[in-house]
């Protein structure tokens, strides 16, 4: 009996040895999980190279997962509940979140400059003053589109003579102007390109970058930023720094290889490849960090705050807002 037991144990040991990995080849993972969310459009388009590289595995110690959502209203609860670690979202919303969460987010980078345009079928709008008496279809209430447009109209003395009809998504504004020859719409890229491809009679009437510069020459119109949950930053500083390096490389790729980036934008269902190919050069995708980021963003938020404190969450963010 003892001899049989010994034989069985010996066989089991040999089998264990055959299937065990040598210590040097054992699978270990010390990669940092990083959950990233972005909005459909330019704030996500700058991420596509990083998204593609991370699909094959970890990137410089970070194990990424990505979520692309349609509107800021979807994004906010994801951040508040701690379901994402890093997010690309409207610039003013970052300040609102900071104030509403007692400093629960930090801004890592400016990632999109002005991408907002007034489009129409006709040719009777060539200046902000020409918007008097018009109804404008728009999306992005409570974020950059609303506050940028409101500020420009207020400074131009048109706040009471322009009607803004708010839609829940930019795609609804595209549908509205495509189906209404008298319509005027406020659209960001790449939705401007989408509308013009669906109906070639649609044209860009106003660039809000220019309109903003006329009324606020000492600040730039900023559409989007990258934020991270403060708790995540404090616990994973190296992962955050790695992300910023990788994101800068990804934005450089989006700007330098438009065809390659457009293919990836289509692959990840952000917008169709054909739209991205035309829109990318107009999307003002950047990665501005550090002191330059703080100077540009704080100037922009100050303008919004002075026009409407609610637009930034009731107060300008403190120094710890800026990474």
């Amino acid at each position: 009996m003892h001899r049989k037991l010994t034989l069985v144990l010996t066989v089991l040991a040999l089998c264990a040895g055959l299937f065990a990995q040598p210590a040097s080849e054992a699978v270990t993972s010390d990669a940092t999980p990083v959950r990233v969310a972005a909005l459909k459009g330019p704030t996500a388009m700058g991420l596509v190279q990083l998204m593609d590289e991370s699909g094959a595995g970890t990137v410089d110690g970070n194990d990424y997962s990505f979520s692309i959502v349609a509107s800021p209203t979807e994004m906010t609860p994801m951040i508040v509940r701690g379901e994402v670690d890093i997010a690309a979202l409207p610039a003013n919303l970052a300040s609102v979140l900071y104030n509403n969460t007692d400093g629960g987010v930090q801004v890592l980078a400016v990632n999109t400059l002005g991408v907002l345009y007034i489009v129409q079928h006709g040719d009777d709008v060539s200046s902000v003053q020409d918007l008097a008496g018009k109804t404008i279809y728009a999306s992005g209430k409570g974020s950059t589109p609303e506050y940028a447009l409101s500020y420009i109209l207020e400074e131009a003395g048109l706040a009471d003579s322009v009607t803004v009809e708010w839609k829940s998504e930019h795609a609804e504004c595209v549908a509205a102007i495509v189906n209404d020859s008298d319509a005027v719409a406020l659209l960001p890229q790449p939705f401007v390109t989408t509308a013009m491809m669906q109906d070639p009679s649609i044209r860009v009437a106003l660039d809000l970058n220019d309109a903003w510069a006329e009324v606020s020459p000492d600040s730039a119109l900023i559409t989007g930023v990258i934020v991270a949950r403060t708790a995540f930053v404090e616990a994973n500083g190296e992962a955050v720094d790695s992300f910023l390096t990788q994101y800068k490389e990804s934005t450089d790729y989006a700007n330098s290889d438009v065809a390659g980036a457009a293919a990836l934008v289509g692959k990840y269902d952000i917008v169709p490849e054909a739209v991205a190919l035309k829109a990318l050069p107009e999307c003002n995708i950047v990665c501005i960090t550090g002191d330059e980021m703080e100077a540009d963003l704080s100037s922009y938020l100050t303008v919004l705050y002075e026009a409407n404190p609610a637009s930034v969450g009731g107060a300008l963010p403190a120094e710890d807002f800026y990474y």
Side-chain angles (χ1 to χ4, degrees), residues 140-229:
K141 189 171 179 60
S143 60
T144 299
E146 178 185 7
Y147 294 118
L149 179 61
S150 295
Y151 176 69
I152 290 169
L153 294 177
E154 184 71 36
E155 291 299 302
L158 299 176
D160 297 326
S161 59
V162 175
T163 300
V164 182
E165 185 172 323
W166 292 101
K167 303 292 186 181
S168 60
E169 296 183 13
H170 298 307
E172 293 182 58
C173 298
V174 172
I177 191 169
V178 167
N179 294 319
D180 182 355
S181 61
D182 296 324
V184 176
L186 173 67
L187 289 173
Q189 285 288 8
F191 295 94
V192 172
T193 298
T194 299
M196 294 172 73
M197 290 177 70
Q198 291 185 27
D199 186 343
S201 72
I202 294 172
R203 71 177 189 95
V204 172
L206 293 176
D207 181 339
L208 253 63
N209 288 298
D210 297 335
W212 181 276
E214 288 181 12
V215 297
S216 184
D218 296 326
S219 68
L221 178 57
I222 295 174
T223 298
V225 297
I226 301 283
V227 303
R229 291 186 299 108

Side-chain angles (χ1 to χ4, degrees), residues 67-115:
S67 302
I68 307 298
V69 301
S71 70
T73 55
E74 294 179 66
M75 181 84 74
T76 299
M78 295 169 69
I79 298 169
V80 172
R81 293 194 296 256
E83 295 171 356
V84 298
D85 306 307
I86 294 175
L89 42 70
N92 78 293
L93 182 56
S95 178
V96 172
L97 280 169
Y98 172 86
N99 283 311
N100 290 348
T101 60
D102 296 323
V105 297
Q106 287 183 285
V107 62
L108 306 180
V110 169
N111 77 329
T112 321
L113 299 177
V115 296

